[in-house]
Amino acid sequence: IKRQNREFQTITISKILDTFTSKPYGWYQAAIMCIIASLYKKKFIDIFESSTPLSRNDVYTALTNNRKFANTIIKPATVVDEKVLKLSKEILAELLPEGKFSSNSAREIYEEAKSGIEKLIKDLEDYKRVPYPFAESFEEPINTLSKVNIGFDDFFIRLKELEDELLDMKEDMLDPMLEFMRGNKFQIYKDIDEFVKDNKTNLYHIANVKKNDLLALLKDREPFKGRKILDANNSFKLVKEEVDRLIKDTRIKAKEKIETIITELQSDENFKEVPIQERYKIIRPLQNIQEEIEKSSSIDFINQLVSNEKLTAYKMDGFERMEELIPQKVADENRMYKRRVSIQELIPKNIRKIESIEDAKRYIKELENNLLKEIEDGKQIII
C-alpha cells in the first residue's frame, strides 16, 4: 500500500484482491479482508469512498459488500503532527463543546469533528427555514463552518488556518443563536410575533411607546444578540396588559349600549302586546350581537358593531319585528303602536358639507321640515 501510494496509484479493495488472490500469494479473500480490517483498526491505513473517509461501521459495510470493492480506496494513514493535533483538539473542544476529543488518533478526532460540524450545519439549515426576518442571519455561521466541512487530508491544516475566524464566529454569532433557538427566547419571540399579528389594529388604540419595542424586535435581523429579547419581553407584558384592558373596557361599553336598546324595546308600549312566547324574537338578535362582542378581540370590529348607524338600525329592526309579532286581532282592536322612521333617513342628502352660516341654516331648515312632516304623518322618529 505504501509503495503504490508513493507511485500515485489508486489502491482499491478490488486491486488488492486481484494482487493477493493470484500467484505467488493465492490467499483467500476472507484472509485478505481480515488483514485490511486489522490494518485499519491499528490505524495504519485509512479507507475512503471516493474522497470521503469512512467510519468504523462504514468500513465494515465496505469490506463485506463486494459491490463496493471497486470504489473503496485504501491509503496509508495520514500522520498529523502532534503539535497540530493538540492544537486542533483545543480548537474543536471550544468550537464543539458537546464533542469528545480525547483520542490521540487523528482519524477519530476527524470523524468526531466531521459529525459535530455536519450536525451543527444541519441544525442551522433547519433554523434558517423559520419565516422570520432574522432567518438569513444563519447563513454566516453556515458558510464559516462549511469551510472546515472538508476531507481528512486538508482538515487539520484548514482548521488551524481558520482558528480565529471560527472561534470569533462562535462567540459573536453561533452561541447567541443556539441559545436563542434552543431555549425559551425563541418561544418569547414567537409569542410577540403572534400577538402583534393578532392585534395589528388594536395597537393603534394605545399610546404606550413600548409597543415600538415589539415592532422593532420583529424587524431586527439579529434579535438573539444582547438583551434584545429580554427587554422586548418586558415591553410585551406591559403592552399586552394595556391592550387586554382596553379590549375588556370596549366590550363592556359596547354591551351596555346593546343592553340600553334591549331595555328601550322592552319598555315600549307595543312590547306588551306581543305574545310572551314570541318576545324572544325581538330580544334574541340583540343578545346574539352581545355574544359576538364578547368573542371578538378586535377593538375596531366591536366599535363598528355599536356605531350610531348600527345602533339605530338595531332599534328599527326591533320595532319592526315587534309590529310584525302583534296579533292582527289585537292590532285591529288597539291601534296604539305607531309607524317609525329612523332619523338617518331624514338627514338632508343633497347637502354634503357645511362651510358657512347660510349652509348651516339651510341644513337645519331642511332637517326641521323633514322632522315635522314625519310627525304630522303620525310617525315616531328613532334617533
Side-chain angles (χ1 to χ4, degrees):
I1 290 170
K2 286 181 178 179
R3 184 175 66 252
Q4 294 272 328
N5 187 67
R6 283 195 298 268
E7 296 174 359
F8 302 103
Q9 298 292 318
T10 300
I11 310 158
T12 63
I13 291 179
S14 294
K15 191 170 185 178
I16 290 180
L17 286 173
D18 290 343
T19 299
F20 290 99
T21 56
S22 304
K23 292 180 180 181
Y25 305 102
W27 297 351
Y28 293 108
Q29 177 174 315
I32 296 170
M33 291 304 177
C34 284
I35 292 174
I36 293 173
S38 177
L39 291 173
Y40 173 80
K41 195 79 174 82
K42 293 174 182 177
K43 303 180 177 63
F44 289 131
I45 62 172
D46 291 317
I47 300 178
F48 299 78
E49 188 171 316
S50 297
S51 61
T52 305
L54 300 183
S55 66
R56 179 178 175 176
N57 291 336
D58 292 333
V59 167
Y60 176 81
T61 301
L63 296 180
T64 55
N65 187 343
N66 57 16
R67 287 176 296 181
K68 291 183 174 289
F69 291 171
N71 296 319
T72 302
I73 299 170
I74 297 175
K75 296 180 182 180
T78 301
V79 178
V80 179
D81 183 84
E82 288 187 7
K83 291 182 179 179
V84 173
L85 187 60
K86 182 175 183 295
L87 176 61
S88 298
K89 290 164 65 174
E90 292 172 357
I91 296 170
L92 291 170
E94 189 170 346
L95 181 66
L96 304 168
E98 296 178 359
K100 298 177 181 178
F101 301 103
S102 57
S103 172
N104 291 319
S105 165
R107 184 176 64 208
E108 290 178 2
I109 294 297
Y110 170 78
E111 289 175 357
E112 179 74 15
K114 178 82 168 171
S115 174
I117 290 168
E118 288 181 345
K119 181 181 183 304
L120 204 48
I121 290 175
K122 181 182 181 303
D123 287 346
L124 293 171
E125 290 283 4
D126 290 340
Y127 297 152
K128 200 173 76 169
R129 296 187 180 94
V130 297
Y132 302 111
F134 66 82
E136 62 187 38
S137 299
F138 293 111
E139 194 65 34
E140 181 180 338
I142 289 172
N143 291 338
T144 304
L145 289 168
S146 296
K147 293 177 182 178
V148 288
N149 189 28
I150 56 176
F152 177 77
D153 291 345
D154 300 321
F155 175 76
F156 292 97
I157 295 174
R158 183 72 60 82
L159 185 67
K160 183 176 181 297
E161 292 173 345
L162 297 174
E163 176 184 0
D164 290 341
E165 182 179 349
L166 285 165
L167 297 184
D168 287 346
M169 175 276 296
K170 179 179 187 295
E171 182 179 356
D172 295 340
M173 296 290 290
L174 188 59
D175 285 347
M177 282 178 172
L178 296 181
E179 181 188 1
F180 181 84
M181 297 302 296
R182 293 173 177 175
N184 67 337
K185 292 182 179 179
F186 183 44
Q187 184 59 53
I188 293 172
Y189 183 96
K190 290 192 291 185
D191 290 343
I192 292 174
D193 179 70
E194 184 178 356
F195 172 80
V196 170
K197 286 178 179 176
D198 290 345
N199 292 276
K200 186 175 181 180
T201 57
N202 289 343
L203 291 174
Y204 289 112
H205 292 275
I206 66 170
N208 194 329
V209 295
K210 292 292 185 181
K211 66 183 179 182
N212 295 327
D213 295 343
L214 311 186
L215 301 175
L217 178 76
L218 300 178
K219 292 179 182 178
D220 199 317
R221 303 291 175 173
E222 297 179 337
F224 40 80
K225 286 192 172 182
R227 287 184 47 84
K228 292 178 182 178
I229 192 69
L230 298 178
D231 291 341
N233 191 39
N234 292 333
S235 298
F236 172 46
K237 293 175 182 177
L238 295 174
V239 172
K240 185 177 184 302
E241 182 180 332
E242 186 169 344
V243 169
D244 289 346
R245 183 171 61 250
L246 185 57
I247 291 172
K248 181 180 178 181
D249 291 345
T250 304
R251 283 177 181 154
I252 291 173
K253 291 176 182 177
K255 290 167 68 175
E256 286 176 351
K257 290 179 180 180
I258 300 298
E259 193 61 41
T260 298
I261 295 176
I262 292 174
T263 301
E264 187 176 339
L265 292 173
Q266 290 175 326
S267 301
D268 190 83
E269 56 189 9
N270 289 328
F271 187 79
K272 64 177 180 293
E273 302 295 344
V274 177
I276 294 176
Q277 68 274 16
E278 298 289 326
R279 292 177 184 174
Y280 77 93
K281 295 180 180 179
I282 301 170
I283 305 305
R284 187 58 194 164
L286 293 164
Q287 292 173 333
N288 290 339
I289 295 169
Q290 287 181 315
E291 292 172 4
E292 193 171 355
I293 289 170
E294 185 61 36
K295 290 186 292 185
S296 177
S297 295
S298 170
I299 294 171
D300 284 344
F301 179 70
I302 294 171
N303 286 335
Q304 288 171 9
L305 285 177
V306 292
S307 65
N308 290 335
E309 293 78 8
K310 288 282 189 181
L311 293 174
T312 302
Y314 298 153
K315 280 197 282 187
M316 292 299 299
D317 290 344
F319 286 129
E320 289 176 6
R321 218 173 276 113
M322 193 184 301
E323 293 178 5
E324 292 170 359
L325 293 172
I326 295 176
Q328 187 62 44
K329 181 178 180 182
V330 174
D332 291 341
E333 293 175 354
N334 184 7
R335 298 295 297 179
M336 291 177 62
Y337 64 86
K338 296 181 179 181
R339 290 175 298 159
R340 296 176 173 87
V341 62
S342 168
I343 194 170
Q344 299 294 329
E345 299 176 32
L346 307 181
I347 293 175
K349 303 296 189 294
N350 59 333
I351 301 177
R352 301 283 182 173
K353 56 185 177 179
I354 300 174
E355 296 180 322
S356 64
I357 295 176
E358 289 71 22
D359 289 341
K361 289 180 178 179
R362 186 160 61 90
Y363 180 87
I364 294 171
K365 184 63 178 176
E366 189 166 336
L367 178 59
E368 180 185 10
N369 291 337
N370 293 341
L371 292 171
L372 293 176
K373 182 177 182 302
E374 298 299 332
I375 295 296
E376 291 171 357
D377 288 344
K379 294 180 182 178
Q380 186 181 76
I381 299 169
I382 303 299
I383 59 175

